[in-house]
Amino acid sequence: SNLLLIFLYQVQAHDLVICEKLSNVIVDQSLKDQIFSREAGRICYTIVQAEAKQTNGNVFRRNLLNRLQQEFKAREETRKRSTQEWVCLVSFICNIFDYLKVNNMPMMALVHPVYDCLFRLAQSDALKNEEEVDCLVLQLHRIGDQLEKMNLQLMDELFNLLRDGFLLQEDLSSMGHLLLLEILEFRAGGWTLSETAQKYYYSEVTD
Amino acid sequence: MWAGLWASQFTTPPLQCHVTSTLTYENDCKPDENGKKGASRWSHCRKRGADGNLRKSYEVEEPGKCSHSSRRPESFTTPESEGPVSRVKNWGDEVEAEEMRSNVRRDMHRYRRRILEADFPQRDRKISSGSSDSRDSRDSKESPAKGDLETDETTLIRRQKQINYGKNTLAYDRYIKDVPKDMRQPGVHPKTPNKFKKYSRRSWDQQIKLWRVKLHAWDPPAEEGSDLQQIEEIDLGEIMDFELDVECSADTESQCPTSSGASLLETEKFKLKDAT
């Protein structure tokens, strides 16, 4: 389906209307499909580059971002409606943040929205869901260091919440505990795991 | 300092305080020097304050309320302002503005470097092939004294936009294909105004007008049934921030292959690849 989309774009690259349709297709798919939501950034990057090269324009990027903004604004309803969609949305926004750079710099406009999503995931009602914790730590693994560079204070505050959650929250699953502990160590190690920690968390258990 | 509460991202803040990328503002949560003691957006969710004491009320507010109220700490970059910002901010516009700013800054670096190199010419220096609007640093007559650059970002961005409008035309495309840079003769061939030089607003606007008029010499032959032009005419009126009222016949320097007296708007053709 990835290739199909790229093909679609190439076939109709000159049609500005398709850019809007295409960005909607991508966003819609990202909200449904977890795998896609994690990888769609790469596709979008390709399309943005292609459009810039061909027409010097950025209609696709603009449409994509504005559509994303709509979804972001409605995120609380989305979360109520479907956890799956909500985590897909977060993954997608973070993926876009990761891939779509402006002159090799992350998009400043997305920094606060991304943090908003992560802070939401760090709330106690979210931490008790493994699905949401999993999403949270995945994003921090992928873009935590970039986010921290953009705003250290917010990252500090986020991790305060995570520490609190880890220590104090009673309805955390054991997997939730494990995920949080790992991410705490990960950041403390400068966004990387020491070898021993790596072994601890990721080696197969031998009895 | 303003005391308004930006309760949710759906309301718009007072205009004068709404700087594109960064802003520190206060609501009832006052940040202090170490930034930790004051309440933060989520701090009511924490059992302990940063000083270690248990908070009196440990409750999670409804998520819908925990919106953008205090989530605007300072950016890690120095704050900058583009001047008045439209009240309605969408991400598409914000990112375009970011891109414009960083492009202008990058151009500035390159230009400064070029000026320095012009002062210290080296024999084997290669001419960069990247496009640039400010290539005249080697002409000592024209190049500005080092302290004499236009550096105001708002101005530079405005000028760059005007240049972009001119470059985003079929005429410009045809021109650069037609006449390579080393074959260009001053006075004969249009030359992009140098946005880094100090000019008055009127002088700059006039240079842009003249430049664009000259570019019309490379307009593609007029086509039948181009309703595309009608649409572009409207767009131009909205997005141009200066008036285009050049009359081809009055300007002796220009060459207008199309019917005389036609306004710039009517003859402007924007490039749209595969537009037919």
Side-chain angles (χ1 to χ4, degrees):
Chain A
S1 80
N2 299 353
L3 292 174
L4 176 62
L5 283 169
I6 294 184
F7 174 75
L8 245 181
Y9 176 72
Q10 281 172 345
V11 161
Q12 291 160 308
H14 61 280
D15 185 348
L16 297 181
V17 173
I18 206 66
C19 284
E20 189 179 327
K21 294 203 179 111
L22 190 58
S23 58
N24 282 330
V25 165
I26 290 182
V27 173
D28 289 338
Q29 187 64 20
S30 303
L31 293 178
K32 289 187 220 143
D33 179 344
Q34 269 196 345
I35 310 281
F36 190 76
S37 69
R38 296 176 194 171
E39 305 299 332
R42 208 192 312 259
I43 299 178
C44 291
Y45 174 76
T46 309
I47 298 177
V48 169
Q49 298 297 105
E51 190 190 351
K53 201 165 165 199
Q54 277 197 32
T55 66
N56 229 11
N58 53 18
V59 175
F60 175 78
R61 183 180 71 183
R62 197 184 321 131
N63 286 331
L64 175 72
L65 288 172
N66 290 339
R67 172 68 204 279
L68 205 56
Q69 185 177 16
Q70 281 175 34
E71 295 296 335
F72 171 75
K73 280 188 182 161
R75 64 196 181 282
E76 203 49 47
E77 292 104 82
T78 300
R79 180 173 182 274
K80 286 199 184 82
R81 187 176 62 239
S82 153
T83 310
Q84 150 105 342
E85 264 191 64
W86 156 241
V87 301
C88 280
L89 174 62
V90 177
S91 288
F92 185 48
I93 294 182
C94 294
N95 207 226
I96 293 293
F97 176 82
D98 198 7
Y99 275 94
L100 251 52
K101 301 277 204 291
V102 169
N103 282 330
N104 293 325
M105 289 286 293
M107 290 194 238
M108 295 210 287
L110 291 187
V111 173
H112 287 134
V114 167
Y115 268 117
D116 277 346
C117 291
L118 299 185
F119 270 93
R120 184 61 185 90
L121 289 171
Q123 297 306 295
S124 51
D125 61 341
L127 287 181
K128 69 182 186 207
N129 296 332
E130 247 170 63
E131 213 178 337
E132 293 187 75
V133 182
D134 187 62
C135 177
L136 172 64
V137 303
L138 175 67
Q139 310 317 323
L140 286 171
H141 277 120
R142 287 178 152 202
I143 61 173
D145 55 345
Q146 295 180 56
L147 278 177
E148 187 181 68
K149 282 197 193 86
M150 303 296 283
N151 192 315
L152 177 62
Q153 183 184 341
L154 282 179
M155 190 55 80
D156 284 343
E157 283 180 34
L158 178 66
F159 269 75
N160 285 343
L161 276 183
L162 297 185
R163 261 186 226 106
D164 282 353
F166 177 80
L167 290 171
L168 303 168
Q169 191 160 334
E170 282 161 7
D171 52 1
L172 228 48
S173 70
S174 46
M175 180 53 113
H177 271 112
L178 188 65
L179 293 172
L180 285 182
L181 186 61
E182 194 268 1
I183 200 67
L184 289 166
E185 281 200 60
F186 185 73
R187 186 199 183 204
W191 303 101
T192 184
L193 270 189
S194 71
E195 219 183 292
T196 44
Q198 179 83 15
K199 276 200 198 118
Y200 177 87
Y201 289 105
Y202 295 107
S203 294
E204 283 178 17
V205 178
T206 50
D207 264 327
Chain B
M1 188 177 335
W2 64 287
L5 240 192
W6 192 4
S8 86
Q9 63 240 7
F10 295 98
T11 62
T12 52
L15 193 62
Q16 65 273 21
C17 295
H18 202 164
V19 173
T20 299
S21 54
T22 82
L23 190 60
T24 303
Y25 64 83
E26 307 166 356
N27 46 20
D28 47 2
C29 310
K30 297 185 199 52
D32 59 17
E33 307 88 71
N34 66 17
K36 292 271 184 192
K37 283 198 211 135
S40 73
R41 173 182 174 181
W42 302 111
S43 57
H44 54 267
C45 307
R46 292 171 49 197
K47 194 167 171 183
R48 293 178 189 276
D51 51 358
N53 296 329
L54 280 171
R55 288 179 187 277
K56 289 240 168 88
S57 56
Y58 179 44
E59 61 200 341
V60 181
E61 252 192 272
E62 255 147 66
K65 286 195 201 170
C66 299
S67 51
H68 264 277
S69 44
S70 61
R71 188 47 64 223
R72 292 288 173 184
E74 284 178 40
S75 163
F76 74 114
T77 57
T78 51
E80 71 245 22
S81 162
E82 280 180 79
V85 177
S86 139
R87 281 179 174 270
V88 179
K89 265 176 40 175
N90 58 58
W91 291 357
D93 288 344
E94 278 187 63
V95 169
E96 277 181 34
E98 269 179 56
E99 195 173 44
M100 179 82 76
R101 272 199 311 276
S102 84
N103 283 344
V104 161
R105 277 188 223 132
R106 179 201 60 200
D107 286 351
M108 170 86 84
H109 286 320
R110 286 187 187 157
Y111 186 62
R112 283 197 207 261
R113 225 169 27 234
R114 211 173 285 122
I115 295 185
L116 285 176
E117 282 169 11
D119 286 345
F120 303 100
Q122 284 141 47
R123 213 142 264 247
D124 310 313
R125 183 164 44 115
K126 271 194 254 173
I127 299 171
S128 82
S129 57
S131 90
S132 121
D133 307 327
S134 328
R135 304 200 97 250
D136 54 5
S137 56
R138 284 204 280 172
D139 183 347
S140 55
K141 209 172 14 142
E142 283 191 39
S143 90
K146 268 184 258 8
D148 228 14
L149 289 182
E150 178 59 68
T151 53
D152 175 51
E153 228 173 52
T154 316
T155 307
L156 288 173
I157 288 173
R158 175 174 27 88
R159 291 182 178 182
Q160 185 62 58
K161 279 187 192 163
Q162 290 170 293
I163 291 172
N164 290 346
Y165 294 145
K167 289 192 169 182
N168 194 25
T169 56
L170 291 172
Y172 185 78
D173 260 2
R174 297 175 87 234
Y175 168 56
I176 56 179
K177 283 183 190 127
D178 201 25
V179 185
K181 277 190 182 149
D182 45 353
M183 306 241 301
R184 297 200 192 149
Q185 301 158 31
V188 173
H189 293 125
K191 182 173 161 184
T192 310
N194 179 346
K195 66 178 176 277
F196 291 115
K197 290 203 187 142
K198 287 274 192 198
Y199 297 113
S200 70
R201 176 77 188 258
R202 282 180 52 144
S203 165
W204 172 264
D205 286 351
Q206 183 67 9
Q207 289 182 56
I208 288 280
K209 277 185 201 177
L210 295 173
W211 172 62
R212 299 198 61 183
V213 163
K214 277 188 174 178
L215 281 174
H216 278 298
W218 280 266
D219 273 347
E223 288 163 28
E224 294 293 344
S226 40
D227 8 21
L228 220 47
Q229 285 179 32
Q230 305 308 335
I231 300 169
E232 283 148 8
E233 197 172 320
I234 298 165
D235 283 348
L236 270 182
E238 285 168 9
I239 59 179
M240 293 285 203
D241 47 11
F242 63 101
E243 256 192 319
L244 285 178
D245 55 357
V246 179
E247 284 137 34
C248 292
S249 48
D251 190 337
T252 51
E253 283 187 66
S254 74
Q255 308 155 50
C256 281
T258 52
S259 56
S260 66
S263 84
L264 212 57
L265 284 179
E266 283 163 0
T267 56
E268 195 73 274
K269 289 178 210 261
F270 280 90
K271 85 179 168 202
L272 269 180
K273 301 274 201 288
D274 309 319
T276 44

